[in-house]
Amino acid sequence: MSVFSHPAYDNHEEVAFYHDAKSGLKAIIAVHNTNLGPSLGGCRMWPYADDSEALNDVLRLSRGMTYKSAMAGLKLGGGKSVIIGDPRKEKTPELLRAMGDFLNTLGGRYITAEDSGTSVADMKIIGERTEFVSGVTAGQEHGGDPSPSTAYGVFVGLKAAVAHRWGRTDLNGLKVSIQGVGNVGFRLAKLLKDAGAELFVTDIFQDNIDRAVNELGATAVTADEIFDLDVDLFAPCALGAILNDNTIERLKVGAIAGAANNQLAEERHAAALREKGILYAPDYVINAGGIIDVYYQQLGDYNPEQVKAHIESIGTTMQEVFQRADETGETTAHVADRIAEERFGHKDTLNGADSAAA
């Protein structure tokens, strides 16, 4: 199958493949849309089952970044990169430097940052070979790491979902199941714990589960059991496509609000959630805290209070999406898509980035 006929291809501007035999690097960069600015999105390293799975992931993720930046009011386009390999076994400085060489071939049309399987330290090594790296600002509270901002944005959006679904402003006693307690999921779990929520967690790595249980008092469940829990809210914070025909049928929650990208396996699954009475917080709206943080790092004048205020606007955006969906009878996913497409549909479209960056 060619890229152009791939089901996840969505008029992407550029898809580049790279292999460096010396370091073993096999990577793909996808640039979806640059109408509002250069594409920016994280570099994911993952042990994909095959090349086809990696291509599908990078196409879907890059498209999501276009929508995410547009909804967050940023002068950025959407792009993503994936490295095929196990980050716990195959990541080397040589491989990361080769990734920097790969980035240079796109001439700045794509800027990378950390993502699943990569870290700020990795971005600094990639940065030895290229200037097209973000999320490494020393003046940022966490040394450039956008994960805390992503988690905080999800927390803000989750509270908006709780307010809309149950009409309550507190989270005390709320039962939340979290799929994935890595960099973002664990931080979200801590915010929820501090707000009085009861946590149920799972992860593909046992050490992540153990940390959540020992430090946050969470209840551990199996990877499959997470979909059958009788809880209030489900927070997917791992990989995508986990809301599908099988899992939606099993869910007993009232709302879904999590950090994972591309949570819906197919667009039609948004309607399936609505039919079950489950409020869905569109992933690229609620998880935009990290890209907002990285955007301000790119500006070169990082103001923590300004960044926090912009991230907190995610709650207002979520409220708008929920309200418009109620008024029109559309799914929240469709409403969010229409708003985003209005913003990035044409070059030089003006949005909230002008006032936010002022």
Side-chain angles (χ1 to χ4, degrees):
M1 178 185 297
S2 74
V3 172
F4 295 114
S5 60
H6 194 285
Y9 177 75
D10 182 56
N11 295 314
H12 285 70
E13 295 177 5
E14 184 171 4
V15 182
F17 301 80
Y18 193 82
H19 175 222
D20 179 68
K22 185 175 181 180
S23 67
L25 174 69
K26 291 183 178 180
I28 311 171
I29 294 176
V31 175
H32 178 252
N33 184 288
T34 57
N35 283 352
L36 297 180
S39 66
L40 194 153
C43 175
R44 173 170 294 184
M45 185 171 184
W46 198 255
Y48 295 101
D50 52 40
D51 299 349
S52 177
E53 186 179 67
L55 176 60
N56 185 68
D57 203 27
V58 77
L59 289 175
R60 283 169 56 88
L61 289 168
S62 57
R63 178 184 184 276
M65 291 307 301
T66 297
Y67 284 73
K68 182 183 300 189
S69 290
M71 286 298 283
L74 305 176
K75 284 188 172 180
L76 292 173
K80 205 77 172 185
S81 58
V82 297
I83 297 174
I84 300 171
D86 188 334
R88 295 195 171 199
K89 299 177 181 178
E90 301 176 73
K91 186 192 301 177
T92 65
E94 292 73 25
L95 180 143
L96 295 171
R97 293 187 185 102
M99 188 65 191
D101 294 335
F102 183 18
L103 290 169
N104 284 331
T105 66
L106 273 73
R109 292 186 298 280
Y110 168 71
I111 301 166
T112 199
E114 69 133 34
D115 201 285
S116 300
T118 62
S119 64
V120 172
D122 296 334
M123 293 304 108
K124 290 181 178 179
I125 296 174
I126 291 175
E128 294 175 11
R129 295 285 184 86
T130 183
E131 63 181 291
F132 306 120
V133 175
S134 191
V136 292
T137 302
Q140 193 249 28
E141 181 181 1
H142 300 280
D145 183 2
S147 298
S149 291
T150 301
Y152 182 60
V154 173
F155 180 67
V156 169
L158 184 151
K159 289 194 295 182
V162 169
H164 189 85
R165 180 65 175 79
W166 291 285
R168 53 183 289 188
T169 57
D170 71 287
L171 304 182
N172 193 45
L174 191 79
K175 294 182 179 180
V176 183
S177 56
I178 305 177
Q179 182 191 48
V181 279
N183 286 339
V184 174
F186 181 81
R187 288 182 169 94
L188 174 63
K190 187 176 188 310
L191 290 168
L192 289 168
K193 176 66 175 180
D194 292 344
E198 183 179 352
L199 307 178
F200 300 82
V201 304
T202 193
D203 196 285
I204 61 173
F205 298 117
Q206 187 61 44
D207 54 340
N208 287 344
I209 295 175
D210 293 342
R211 180 173 63 158
V213 170
N214 295 332
E215 296 184 25
L216 304 177
T219 299
V221 299
T222 66
D224 188 60
E225 186 183 2
I226 197 78
F227 300 108
D228 299 311
L229 299 180
D230 188 3
V231 297
D232 300 303
L233 188 143
F234 175 41
C237 296
L239 297 182
I242 49 84
L243 298 176
N244 51 55
D245 291 337
N246 174 46
T247 59
I248 291 174
E249 183 179 345
R250 296 161 59 186
L251 290 173
K252 303 179 183 68
V253 302
I256 296 174
N261 288 305
N262 299 320
Q263 295 170 26
L264 301 171
E266 299 177 32
E267 290 183 13
R268 64 184 176 85
H269 290 121
L273 290 171
R274 184 177 179 84
E275 289 171 7
K276 283 199 67 172
I278 299 175
L279 179 66
Y280 171 62
D283 46 56
Y284 62 79
V285 181
I286 197 172
N287 67 14
I291 195 69
I292 291 172
D293 193 308
V294 169
Y295 174 73
Y296 282 94
Q297 292 186 49
Q298 282 291 108
L299 292 180
D301 184 20
Y302 191 88
N303 183 320
E305 292 305 313
Q306 187 179 28
V307 174
K308 183 178 181 181
H310 197 148
I311 292 172
E312 289 178 344
S313 71
I314 289 174
T316 304
T317 303
M318 288 303 328
Q319 291 170 358
E320 178 187 354
V321 170
F322 295 149
Q323 183 174 347
R324 286 179 60 169
D326 285 348
E327 292 171 352
T328 64
E330 299 170 294
T331 67
T332 54
H334 188 223
V335 168
D337 281 355
R338 286 200 295 111
I339 296 173
E341 287 161 3
E342 289 168 3
R343 296 182 179 184
F344 74 75
H346 304 283
K347 289 184 181 296
D348 302 320
T349 299
L350 294 177
N351 58 31
D354 291 318
S355 58

